[in-house]
């Protein structure tokens, strides 16, 4: 029979030995991970002449498990949205709502409003055409049949600067480079603000394809210079808007029998776009006006008659992060500037973003932040700071909303997987993707083979082809999974 003293010693020694074995296994795993990733970086042809920053942390302790150029400033592309989302949740709160308001500045009698009707935008990035139809219906219910005055769009909640400072001429007609206004609208529930959806459908060989624009609007003019070609030819369509105008040209070839080609195109001056669609809605509900449809500022004495709150911020973050919606990121920046400094500008908003990041525990002195979406090639942030951000946000009350908004690996539906829909399907990953000319990035959370949650950030710059980035990132994530 074992003595009590021997049992006591055994109870002390066994946990110590288990801890030693666990620490040894952990060190072995780190060593194997380092060997495998280092070898991959050296041998991968697409990384020759490129730069890659990698940062891997324990989600439990925040301790760095591996890094490669982790403190080197690199262009993050849309991984910058991780910082913007954290700042917006911290400053505005997960239940924050944007709004659109209707004001009048005159009396109403016998169905006639003797004055102007104002639609005041306060930064709602989720306004869609059906919302304008509801506004027209609600005005009709209030007894308004005619307006003896103007229909005025008020976008002065934000400043009049439409594009962040580093958007190029090549980007400005696509949805990801759309103009920013406090009064804007999206064609559908992807919520690409300030855009129209152009659909091109092939016809018989030799004929022009059919073109449909959603929503239907006279605000843009379509030029169809495309042709339907035989089924064995390749699609070669180009859809572009002329700078400074709302003239959109479709040119090139689309094969007969092919799928409908879709492109979201940014409009010039989104405030006037909203006014055009509101005018259509008013006419459909037989509301007339005698004056002009124009932009202007709502006077202080005007009376607010209707207000339409957006969905809460925690819900808006889903299309922002999962679909990587650039317009939302820039509107969040301007909204933070408006709320904190009463100035809806990039300058004030980015000041707020940096302060919020500092309070979360990120060292913004090591970074360059020029916008809220990551579209700028001037943005720079080290991978170690992104992984640190992902560690620190776990402590916040709003973390559930934050992590829920991240794309999920595999085929889980468009608004679940988002930009990770066709990637890492056998792994449990929640992460933000990023793509920019010569740049690719992926940062988020991964369940390792041991069941431990691991934080990672991978930023690749100076690629000859940014399409090589996802394959590089996915291989590294698989290495992390195997050894953590």
């Amino acid at each position: 029979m074992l003595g009590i003293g021997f049992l006591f010693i055994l109870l002390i020694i066994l946990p110590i030995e288990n801890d030693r074995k666990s620490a040894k296994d952990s060190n072995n795993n780190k060593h194997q991970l380092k060997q495998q990733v280092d070898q991959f970086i050296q041998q991968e042809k697409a990384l020759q002449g490129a730069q890659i920053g990698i940062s891997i942390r324990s989600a439990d302790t925040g301790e760095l498990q591996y890094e490669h150029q982790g403190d080197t400033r690199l262009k993050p592309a849309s991984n910058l949205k991780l910082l913007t989302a954290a700042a917006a949740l911290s400053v505005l709160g997960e239940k924050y709502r944007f709004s659109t308001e209707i004001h009048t500045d005159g009396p109403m009698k016998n169905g006639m409003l003797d004055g102007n009707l104002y639609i005041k935008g306060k930064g709602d990035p989720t306004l869609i055409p059906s919302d304008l139809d509801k506004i027209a219906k609600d005005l009709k219910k209030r007894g308004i049949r005619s307006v003896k005055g103007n229909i005025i769009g008020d976008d002065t909640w934000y400043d009049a600067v439409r594009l962040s400072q580093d958007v190029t001429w090549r980007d400005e007609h696509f949805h990801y480079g759309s103009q920013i206004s406090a009064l804007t609208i999206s064609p559908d529930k992807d919520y690409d603000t300030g855009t129209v959806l152009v659909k091109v459908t092939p016809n018989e060989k030799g004929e022009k394809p059919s073109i449909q624009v959603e929503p239907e609007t006279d605000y843009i003019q379509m030029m169809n210079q495309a042709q339907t070609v035989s089924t064995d030819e390749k699609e070669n369509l180009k859809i572009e808007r002329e700078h400074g105008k709302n003239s959109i040209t479709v040119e090139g070839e689309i094969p007969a029998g092919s799928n409908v080609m879709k492109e979201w195109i940014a409009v010039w001056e989104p405030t006037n776009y909203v006014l055009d669609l509101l005018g259509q809605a008013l006419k459909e509900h037989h509301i007339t006006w005698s004056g002009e449809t124009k932009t202007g500022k709502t006077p202080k004495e005007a009376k607010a008659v209707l207000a339409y709150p957006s969905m809460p911020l925690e819900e808006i973050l889903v299309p922002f992060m999962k679909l990587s919606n650039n317009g939302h990121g820039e509107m969040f920046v301007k909204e933070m500037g408006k709320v904190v400094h009463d100035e809806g500008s990039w300058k004030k908003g980015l000041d707020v973003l940096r302060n919020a990041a500092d309070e979360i525990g990120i060292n913004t002195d090591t970074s360059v932040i020029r916008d809220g979406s990551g579209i700028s090639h001037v943005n720079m942030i080290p991978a170690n700071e992104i992984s640190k951000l992902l560690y620190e946000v776990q402590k916040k009350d709003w973390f559930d909303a934050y992590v829920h908004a991240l794309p999920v690996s595999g085929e889980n539906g468009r608004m679940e997987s988002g930009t990770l829909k066709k990637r890492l399907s056998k792994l449990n990953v929640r992460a933000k993707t990023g793509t920019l000319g010569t740049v690719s990035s992926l940062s988020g959370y991964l369940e390792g083979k041991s069941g431990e949650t691991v934080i990672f950030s991978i930023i690749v710059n100076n690629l000859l082809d940014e399409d090589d980035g996802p394959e590089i990132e996915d291989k590294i994530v698989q290495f992390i999974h195997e050894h953590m």
Side-chain angles (χ1 to χ4, degrees):
M1 181 177 288
L2 294 173
I4 292 174
F6 181 80
L7 282 172
F8 180 73
I9 292 169
L10 193 62
L11 288 171
I12 293 173
I13 291 173
L14 281 175
I16 293 172
E17 289 300 317
N18 287 337
D19 287 346
R20 285 174 179 168
K21 183 177 182 302
S22 177
K24 184 178 179 181
D25 289 344
S26 176
N27 287 333
N28 285 339
N29 286 337
K30 286 182 194 177
H31 179 68
Q32 290 172 8
L33 175 63
K34 177 176 171 52
Q35 278 189 321
Q36 197 163 23
V37 176
D38 285 350
Q39 184 179 27
F40 172 72
I41 291 170
Q42 290 170 5
Q43 295 178 351
E44 174 57 47
K45 288 184 179 179
L47 287 174
Q48 292 178 12
Q51 260 189 309
I52 184 168
I54 305 172
S55 180
I56 302 168
R57 292 182 189 269
S58 163
D60 288 336
T61 66
E63 180 186 355
L64 277 171
Q65 306 294 302
Y66 172 90
E67 64 173 315
H68 175 85
Q69 294 187 328
D71 290 325
T72 300
R73 285 184 289 276
L74 296 170
K75 302 168 188 175
S78 282
N79 273 203
L80 187 69
K81 290 182 174 74
L82 292 165
L83 184 55
T84 303
L89 284 165
S90 181
V91 174
L92 303 175
E94 57 193 304
K95 302 301 180 184
Y96 187 84
R97 294 176 189 264
F98 303 80
S99 68
T100 305
E101 299 171 355
I102 301 297
H103 295 249
T104 60
D105 63 0
M108 194 183 76
K109 186 176 181 180
N110 298 325
M112 185 184 76
L113 172 64
D114 189 7
N116 299 312
L117 181 74
Y118 299 85
I119 177 168
K120 183 178 178 65
K122 298 176 82 171
D124 185 356
T126 65
L127 201 68
I128 56 177
S130 60
D131 295 321
L132 299 183
D133 185 69
K134 178 170 173 50
I135 288 172
K137 282 181 181 177
D138 290 347
L139 289 170
K140 192 85 174 276
K141 286 178 184 176
R142 293 181 73 89
I144 296 178
R145 299 292 183 271
S146 65
V147 177
K148 191 179 180 181
N150 302 311
I151 308 297
I152 298 175
D154 182 354
D155 60 16
T156 58
W157 186 252
Y158 298 158
D159 67 8
V161 180
R162 294 293 188 229
L163 296 172
S164 57
Q165 58 189 319
D166 301 314
V167 173
T168 69
W169 67 269
R170 192 70 184 85
D171 293 329
E172 68 165 27
H173 66 266
F174 288 115
H175 66 278
Y176 54 80
S178 63
Q179 296 185 8
I180 304 304
S181 168
L183 180 58
T184 190
I185 197 162
S186 310
D188 54 30
K189 290 188 177 180
D190 279 7
Y191 303 113
D192 289 304
T193 57
T195 70
V196 292
L197 173 58
V198 178
K199 296 181 178 179
V200 184
T201 306
N203 287 315
E204 297 297 322
K205 178 185 174 182
E207 296 179 352
K208 287 183 180 293
S210 300
I211 297 176
Q212 181 184 359
V213 178
E214 296 179 2
E216 291 185 15
T217 173
D218 294 330
Y219 193 60
I220 62 163
Q221 295 78 47
M222 293 299 308
M223 308 287 206
N224 187 354
Q225 298 176 5
Q227 187 177 27
T228 306
V229 294
S230 60
T231 55
D232 58 349
E233 294 190 57
K234 290 184 178 180
E235 181 190 289
N236 182 30
L237 277 182
K238 185 166 69 172
I239 306 176
E240 292 185 335
R241 175 181 55 76
E242 185 178 351
H243 173 75
K245 298 181 180 179
N246 281 304
S247 176
I248 299 174
T249 301
V250 181
E251 59 184 6
E253 297 81 36
I254 184 169
S258 62
N259 293 330
V260 176
M261 192 268 200
K262 299 179 181 179
E263 188 68 75
W264 284 259
I265 299 294
V267 304
W268 186 265
E269 283 299 336
T271 304
N272 287 318
Y273 172 39
V274 175
L275 282 172
D276 179 79
L277 295 177
L278 177 61
Q280 287 185 37
L282 293 173
K283 288 175 184 176
E284 286 171 8
H285 291 278
H286 308 291
I287 298 175
T288 62
W289 62 99
S290 61
E292 301 176 79
T293 303
K294 61 180 185 178
T295 59
K297 185 175 176 63
T298 307
K300 290 181 180 179
E301 63 272 14
K303 179 183 177 183
V305 294
L306 295 168
Y308 300 89
S310 72
M311 63 182 73
L313 178 61
E314 61 185 342
E315 293 180 27
I316 302 174
L317 287 180
V318 172
F320 172 54
M321 297 277 259
K322 291 186 187 290
L323 304 184
S324 206
N325 193 308
N326 283 1
H328 292 189
E330 310 308 351
M331 294 178 81
F332 294 162
V333 167
K334 288 199 173 190
E335 189 71 10
M336 287 189 283
K338 183 67 176 179
V339 168
V340 176
H341 297 297
D342 196 30
E343 180 180 307
S345 67
W346 269 288
K347 183 180 185 302
K348 293 296 185 182
L350 290 174
D351 285 346
V352 176
L353 186 151
R354 291 185 192 95
N355 289 337
D358 290 340
E359 289 176 6
I360 290 170
I362 310 308
N363 183 8
T364 57
D365 290 341
T366 67
S367 303
V368 177
I369 303 170
R370 304 269 285 199
D371 58 37
S373 66
I375 196 172
S376 172
H377 273 274
V378 183
N379 288 321
M380 290 190 294
I381 188 167
N384 276 345
E385 291 304 317
I386 292 181
S387 68
K388 187 179 180 184
L389 168 73
L390 293 171
Y391 172 71
E392 295 294 341
V393 295
Q394 295 177 113
K395 307 170 187 177
K396 302 299 181 180
D397 293 341
W398 39 258
F399 176 66
D400 286 347
Y402 184 86
V403 75
H404 172 72
L406 289 173
V408 179
S409 57
E411 302 280 342
N412 299 301
R414 191 157 181 272
M415 281 298 184
E416 179 67 16
S417 288
T419 53
L420 280 181
K421 186 174 177 63
K422 296 182 179 180
R423 296 177 62 180
L424 299 164
S425 58
K426 295 182 180 179
L427 302 183
N428 185 3
V429 178
R430 285 184 176 267
K432 183 73 198 76
T433 58
T435 305
L436 199 61
T438 74
V439 176
S440 185
S441 55
L442 183 70
S443 301
Y445 304 91
L446 161 71
E447 183 181 320
K449 198 172 184 178
S450 67
E452 177 189 356
T453 300
V454 183
I455 293 168
F456 67 91
S457 178
I458 306 165
I459 308 174
V460 194
N461 282 193
N462 305 328
L463 288 163
L464 292 174
D465 185 349
E466 62 269 14
D467 290 341
D468 291 330
E471 186 176 346
I472 292 167
E473 294 150 8
D474 290 0
K475 283 182 180 177
I476 293 171
V477 169
Q478 287 164 357
F479 294 153
I480 300 169
H481 171 77
E482 284 298 314
H483 298 295
M484 298 295 286

